[in-house]
Amino acid sequence: MKSFFTLAIFLFSYIFSASGQSNVLPSFGIIPAPELVNMQPTKGPSLNRIRVFLPLEVRNPFLESLIQTTPGIEISASLDQSDVDWKRDNKLSSEAYLIKVTKKKILIKAGSSAGFQHAVISLIQMLTHHGLPLPQGIIEDRPTFAYRGMHLDVGRYFFSVEDVKKYLDYMAYYKYNHFHWHLTEDQGWRIEIKKYPRLQEVAAWRKETLVGHYNDQPQTFDGKKYGGYYSQEEVREIVRYAAERNITVVPEIEMPGHALAAIAAYPELGCGSGPYEVGTKWGIYDDVFCPNETTFAFLEDVIDEIVPLFPGKYIHIGGDECPKTAWKNSPFCQELMKKEGLKDEHALQSYFITRMEKYINAKGKQIIGWDEILEGGLAPNATVMSWRGIEGGVAAANENHEVIMTPTSFCYFDYYQSESPDEPLAIGGYLPMDQVYHWNPVPESLPVDKQKYIIGGQANVWTEYIPDYSKIEYMVYARAMAMSEVLWSKKKDYASFLPRFVSHQQLWKAKGANVANHIYDLKPVIKAGDGKPVRISFSVPQGASIAHSINGREDKALASGEEVRIEHSGNHIFTTMHSKGSGRPLELLFDLHYGTGADISINPGPSPKYSGNGPGSIINGVKGTIEKYGGTEWLGFEGTDPVITLDFKKDLNFNYIETLFFKAEGQWIYLPREIEVSMSDDGVNYKRIAGIKNIGTHDKIADVRFTPHQAHGRYMRFTIKNYGVIPEGKQGAGHRAWLFMDEIIIY
Ligand code: ACM
């Protein structure tokens, strides 16, 4: 093991010195960056080998093994021989620590075992990424947020005890302190409950699994039985292992939705008559727990077995994505709603959650629920996990409830991290590392006195498209470094983070981990829609330039931030060139049409989450790709009916109009109900020239074309009607559908 680390350090110092840069990394290589680093590289005499004696309250196999595998530090048998002095300082806040390095000694102060652990890890990271001699001076550090979580869905795919331990090791290395273990799903129940053996025999197994993406048509399956579960003994082992790393495990037992596996094992838990089978594809199922006494007795029994396994204060009860179809169709539910004075099925969900909360509170635990638990009234002591955006979190904090922020657009590590077509299959979306890094978990709209209710944030790792641990490494390890700094560090600076990231990435690679490398992938900023020619620019890490070819012919290279006009239609290829590595080529097929020089306005505008490079993204000459609705091309409208106006600045004649719409109903993205195109000479009086209702397609993209005869005018207007409310039984039922569109092409 030691040789891997040595190799990593060698590689890294080579790369840095080869590029003529300093060997000293910002924050001496520590991720997340400490609050205060007042240290200077050592010049004079210094420790050239660190011997460390771990006192009892600091000693555990995790830190011992980290020390044993780090060059330059070793365990000593007694305090007399230790170069490290330990001091407990109860004035330091929970998890805070101080490291003071002098010529001869290292002093570590902390007020808790977590604080000591964080200090040792910072020291280890300095040794790994900076090396001996250690710099001299002081580090003072403490976390910004008390809750720093990473989630893992083991329902869609099952991850072994060894995998989970690797995850926990990674978490501890980056100072995360809560492991949200998503244990039950439609596609598998993964925790042994002794009173209900059919959970192990039936609910833990599915007969087969969907192949490819949920949105692929027709859907196909692999025909292979799949499953697994953790015995209670294994759960205790994981909880112990986590505790040794100062990580609290938050178990999630989903209710009332995402419960098909349990219902397949015990059909009396459903509202219908069955038969039920464990889910074989992703998404949302209509069969959910029925709020009858059998279900409550079952769930209370489950909680009775869960509580002694998990010493932490939280039990997560899910609460998300619970379709109300089964409850609407159930005479029992309708009768119950009358009896309890519940005005609708949302109130019934609130009744369900509140009743379970009371039971769980009586056991001395607190519930966490996804933000849907706000609908129909928030259970009195619940902590809310805000995932569909920040609105749920803001509402809950305004009601003085604690909130953990996990909005999809910053926290969903199952999303794509690059626009490259070479990316392995993912659920969709687009969440590059720099977007994670620039997130602030405290919403600006929250009044100052309510901000304290945001106790932290969390990276969510849903595994529909993550069947093994290597892909976890790929999807998670890079972005979770960025997230650790969001949740821990007071001062963030992406330019300071990047070289530390590269150093850590080399380390993980040397250990064999499949860490993604997207920092040299290009993210284009294409400007259009302002009446000027289309321009493109990129920012790339310092020292890099961008090669450019057009239809196979080499063109002038670009500097970082330099804007160039796109003057020719055709295949443009851009590649980062850097001494530390080049990125994957970015291929953009530009089709310059009448629209690419127009002025554009869109009312109401796209959601800030999916606003591309501004409204001009839909007339920039580049079509959105078929797999990803995130990224810089597609504009996404959350439930609104956009009116798009183009001003060509002069009267033009057209005979061809094409618009593209993305369809991914699994991700709540629907085709529009209606599109109308009209023209005007004065920008006031518009005349309809084309239109369509009921667009249908079996593909992921609907390509809508009009061929108006001899149309002309200076202004063109598209009036687009969103699909409306998503029907029951579909993903996102009850919400207004998203509308995604990209290029409007005009000839
Ligand atoms: C969720 O992503 N359904 C919480």
Side-chain angles (χ1 to χ4, degrees):
M1 189 64 122
K2 224 156 195 161
S3 61
F4 274 132
F5 280 77
T6 316
L7 172 70
I9 289 167
F10 167 75
L11 266 177
F12 195 65
S13 36
Y14 169 74
I15 287 164
F16 260 67
S17 52
S19 63
Q21 294 188 15
S22 155
N23 267 323
V24 179
L25 288 168
S27 299
F28 296 96
I30 301 171
I31 295 180
E35 181 169 5
L36 183 128
V37 181
N38 190 358
M39 293 194 127
Q40 300 301 326
T42 294
K43 299 229 168 58
S46 60
L47 295 166
N48 56 14
R49 179 174 63 113
I50 295 165
R51 291 156 307 174
V52 53
F53 175 79
L54 294 175
L56 265 185
E57 74 173 321
V58 180
R59 191 177 310 163
N60 66 49
F62 170 59
L63 292 184
E64 284 170 347
S65 128
L66 259 186
I67 289 167
Q68 279 155 2
T69 51
T70 303
I73 185 165
E74 65 191 49
I75 297 200
S76 73
S78 73
L79 195 53
D80 298 347
Q81 294 162 2
S82 179
D83 297 312
V84 179
D85 283 339
W86 307 88
K87 190 159 180 217
R88 191 164 180 110
D89 182 348
N90 292 326
K91 288 197 295 297
L92 286 176
S93 60
S94 158
E95 299 197 81
Y97 68 90
L98 176 147
I99 303 175
K100 185 171 174 194
V101 183
T102 58
K103 276 187 193 131
K104 296 215 175 115
K105 274 277 180 197
I106 297 171
L107 170 68
I108 292 182
K109 271 197 209 177
S112 66
S113 76
F116 283 120
Q117 173 185 303
H118 298 324
V120 173
I121 287 173
S122 290
L123 185 63
I124 296 272
Q125 291 192 354
M126 265 198 287
L127 283 165
T128 307
H129 303 285
H130 175 78
L132 285 168
L134 280 179
Q136 288 174 15
I138 281 192
I139 292 179
E140 280 177 19
D141 200 11
R142 66 196 161 130
T144 303
F145 292 101
Y147 185 107
R148 303 179 306 280
M150 282 178 64
H151 151 284
L152 184 64
D153 165 16
V154 295
R156 273 50 178 268
Y157 283 99
F158 179 65
F159 293 88
S160 69
V161 169
E162 288 316 306
D163 288 342
V164 175
K165 287 181 175 176
K166 273 195 249 176
Y167 203 68
L168 291 164
D169 283 346
Y170 176 94
M171 288 177 62
Y173 199 69
Y174 294 106
K175 300 189 173 79
Y176 285 93
N177 64 358
H178 284 83
F179 172 49
H180 174 171
W181 203 3
H182 184 81
L183 285 163
T184 69
E185 256 307 335
D186 295 309
Q187 299 84 2
W189 181 287
R190 306 277 177 235
I191 181 164
E192 179 190 25
I193 301 295
K194 293 185 191 289
K195 191 162 181 186
Y196 294 94
R198 283 177 62 79
L199 291 176
Q200 286 71 255
E201 291 154 15
V202 177
W205 306 94
R206 58 179 178 253
K207 72 168 195 264
E208 59 186 357
T209 303
L210 184 73
V211 175
H213 199 278
Y214 180 90
N215 293 331
D216 293 345
Q217 292 295 334
Q219 290 182 325
T220 57
F221 296 84
D222 65 5
K224 293 187 199 132
K225 183 175 170 180
Y226 181 91
Y229 66 92
Y230 307 99
S231 69
Q232 292 197 357
E233 197 38 58
E234 288 172 325
V235 169
R236 278 192 211 96
E237 187 184 333
I238 293 283
V239 169
R240 241 189 337 259
Y241 193 87
E244 215 168 74
R245 286 149 184 75
N246 289 287
I247 293 169
T248 303
V249 183
V250 179
E252 180 179 354
I253 306 296
E254 269 268 25
M255 60 189 83
H258 289 292
L260 182 56
I263 297 168
Y266 295 98
E268 58 275 24
L269 304 175
C271 282
S273 53
Y276 305 106
E277 65 167 19
V278 177
T280 57
K281 60 181 172 185
W282 319 126
I284 294 179
Y285 288 88
D286 274 345
D287 288 308
V288 301
F289 283 132
C290 199
N292 57 32
E293 290 310 310
T294 310
T295 296
F296 286 114
F298 167 82
L299 287 172
E300 288 171 11
D301 289 338
V302 168
I303 296 300
D304 288 350
E305 293 196 32
I306 291 288
V307 165
L309 292 172
F310 295 94
K313 79 171 183 184
Y314 296 118
I315 292 180
H316 199 306
I317 48 73
D320 61 318
E321 300 182 319
C322 177
K324 306 298 185 292
T325 320
W327 294 356
K328 280 193 175 129
N329 295 334
S330 152
F332 166 80
C333 291
Q334 297 305 312
E335 197 51 44
L336 178 65
M337 284 162 60
K338 268 198 218 122
K339 191 171 123 226
E340 296 289 336
L342 304 169
K343 78 174 190 327
D344 58 17
E345 287 76 15
H346 293 296
L348 182 54
Q349 157 135 344
S350 176
Y351 162 87
F352 194 118
I353 298 290
T354 303
R355 188 165 157 174
M356 287 310 299
E357 180 186 58
K358 210 180 265 172
Y359 190 79
I360 291 167
N361 285 169
K363 301 257 156 189
K365 302 285 182 186
Q366 280 200 265
I367 67 160
I368 302 178
W370 299 109
D371 58 54
E372 286 94 330
I373 67 167
L374 282 149
E375 292 164 6
L378 197 46
N381 305 310
T383 296
V384 171
M385 223 170 230
S386 190
W387 74 279
R388 290 178 298 176
I390 59 169
E391 297 77 12
V394 169
N398 276 321
E399 290 184 40
N400 304 342
H401 282 253
E402 287 192 338
V403 171
I404 297 155
M405 280 292 184
T406 66
T408 52
S409 43
F410 296 99
C411 300
Y412 270 47
F413 289 5
D414 54 340
Y415 283 16
Y416 285 103
Q417 18 186 356
S418 162
E419 296 197 77
S420 166
D422 301 338
E423 280 298 285
L425 182 67
I427 194 161
Y430 175 53
L431 175 54
M433 190 169 72
D434 64 327
Q435 187 163 323
V436 175
Y437 192 87
H438 290 106
W439 181 47
N440 177 4
V442 180
E444 276 172 17
S445 58
L446 201 58
V448 174
D449 65 319
K450 302 292 183 190
Q451 291 181 359
K452 61 176 184 276
Y453 292 109
I454 310 293
I455 61 170
Q458 176 173 286
N460 287 344
V461 183
W462 301 102
T463 58
E464 288 96 329
Y465 303 95
I466 307 183
D468 55 44
Y469 200 79
S470 169
K471 195 150 175 201
I472 295 262
E473 291 168 345
Y474 187 78
M475 299 302 283
V476 176
Y477 278 25
R479 288 180 287 189
M481 287 186 221
M483 181 64 88
S484 79
E485 206 141 307
V486 168
L487 299 175
W488 178 280
S489 304
K490 291 274 183 313
K491 278 176 279 180
K492 286 191 297 164
D493 173 17
Y494 196 57
S496 139
F497 172 72
L498 274 180
R500 282 178 287 130
F501 167 77
V502 174
S503 181
H504 282 242
Q505 184 194 39
Q506 300 277 343
L507 170 78
W508 287 108
K509 281 190 178 162
K511 290 205 285 180
N514 181 22
V515 197
N517 178 23
H518 296 112
I519 58 168
Y520 302 116
D521 280 3
L522 287 165
K523 287 175 35 188
V525 177
I526 306 177
K527 292 201 182 136
D530 52 5
K532 297 187 204 150
V534 176
R535 287 95 64 210
I536 191 164
S537 64
F538 304 89
S539 28
V540 289
Q542 211 182 13
S545 63
I546 305 126
H548 179 198
S549 72
I550 309 169
N551 294 328
R553 259 185 308 105
E554 206 60 30
D555 206 76
K556 212 164 91 26
L558 283 69
S560 185
E562 182 186 349
E563 203 171 87
V564 292
R565 281 187 186 191
I566 299 295
E567 288 169 336
H568 304 281
S569 290
N571 196 21
H572 292 244
I573 299 179
F574 301 90
T575 316
T576 321
M577 310 297 286
H578 194 283
S579 56
K580 282 187 235 159
S582 56
R584 290 174 289 191
L586 172 74
E587 199 170 328
L588 294 171
L589 194 59
F590 277 94
D591 173 13
L592 304 178
H593 50 84
Y594 287 146
T596 50
D599 242 336
I600 192 167
S601 68
I602 307 183
N603 243 317
S607 157
K609 283 189 248 178
Y610 297 104
S611 57
N613 284 314
S617 297
I618 55 172
I619 48 167
N620 66 7
V622 178
K623 289 182 184 178
T625 59
I626 196 154
E627 299 297 345
K628 295 161 208 165
Y629 54 87
T632 46
E633 284 305 324
W634 297 97
L635 297 185
F637 300 85
E638 189 172 10
T640 53
D641 300 328
V643 176
I644 300 170
T645 309
L646 304 184
D647 175 359
F648 304 106
K649 304 283 183 195
K650 61 181 179 207
D651 207 42
L652 285 178
N653 294 310
F654 316 94
N655 48 35
Y656 180 83
I657 302 168
E658 181 182 349
T659 65
L660 305 181
F661 295 91
F662 197 81
K663 183 177 134 191
E665 296 185 353
Q667 277 75 51
W668 315 8
I669 301 170
Y670 281 67
L671 298 179
R673 290 256 180 227
E674 187 176 354
I675 306 163
E676 186 181 274
V677 189
S678 46
M679 296 293 306
S680 166
D681 294 326
D682 57 7
V684 179
N685 302 299
Y686 280 86
K687 201 172 102 208
R688 178 189 159 101
I689 57 160
I692 185 170
K693 285 186 186 173
N694 303 323
I695 305 155
T697 179
H698 292 298
D699 297 329
K700 290 179 186 166
I701 293 180
D703 190 342
V704 181
R705 294 166 193 204
F706 305 106
T707 48
H709 183 62
Q710 300 278 314
H712 63 90
R714 171 174 163 173
Y715 301 91
M716 180 181 285
R717 175 165 284 177
F718 293 80
T719 307
I720 301 171
K721 287 259 174 309
N722 183 296
Y723 177 87
V725 175
I726 300 173
E728 281 299 331
K730 301 278 193 181
Q731 319 271 331
H735 298 275
R736 288 186 50 90
W738 281 86
L739 171 91
F740 272 75
M741 66 183 296
D742 184 32
E743 200 68 359
I744 295 176
I745 300 154
I746 303 156
Y747 279 110

